Amino acid sequence: MPTNKTPLPDGQDQTGVEIKKLRRSITLLWICVILLNIDNLILSNRIDQIVGLLERFTKFSGIVTKVIEKLVYVLH
């Protein structure tokens, strides 16, 4: 709302102010959307890293199991 005390002529000034507010709001919303997309990309990358670590752990666990089985076979 304008701070001056003169009445607004036929609402056009008020419409201009509202349009500026809406444009500012749209800009802020786009910034939020972009930041959320960046956060999602980071989260997706972290999930991919975790999945990769789990796959490596599974392979390592399989190797350790085979080694232990061979040791047990040799010791008996």
Side-chain angles (χ1 to χ4, degrees), residues 42-73:
I42 291 170
L43 182 60
S44 174
N45 186 33
R46 298 277 166 89
I47 290 171
D48 288 342
Q49 289 175 344
I50 291 170
V51 168
L53 287 173
L54 289 172
E55 288 172 349
R56 282 189 246 158
F57 177 75
T58 303
K59 289 178 184 177
F60 175 74
S61 178
I63 292 169
V64 169
T65 302
K66 288 179 183 178
V67 168
I68 291 173
E69 288 173 352
K70 288 180 181 179
L71 285 173
V72 168
Y73 178 75

Side-chain angles (χ1 to χ4, degrees), residues 10 39 47 54 76:
D10 65 23
D39 283 345
I47 290 171
L54 289 172
H76 279 139

Side-chain angles (χ1 to χ4, degrees), residues 5-59:
K5 296 182 181 177
T6 58
L8 298 173
D10 65 23
Q12 287 183 353
D13 288 342
Q14 182 64 30
T15 302
V17 169
E18 292 300 321
I19 289 172
K20 286 181 183 179
K21 287 181 183 179
L22 288 172
R23 285 183 180 159
R24 187 177 334 131
S25 296
I26 290 170
T27 300
L28 289 174
L29 284 173
W30 271 110
I31 290 170
C32 290
V33 166
I34 290 169
L35 290 175
L36 285 172
N37 281 332
I38 291 170
D39 283 345
N40 286 339
L41 287 173
I42 291 170
L43 182 60
S44 174
N45 186 33
R46 298 277 166 89
I47 290 171
D48 288 342
Q49 289 175 344
I50 291 170
V51 168
L53 287 173
L54 289 172
E55 288 172 349
R56 282 189 246 158
F57 177 75
T58 303
K59 289 178 184 177

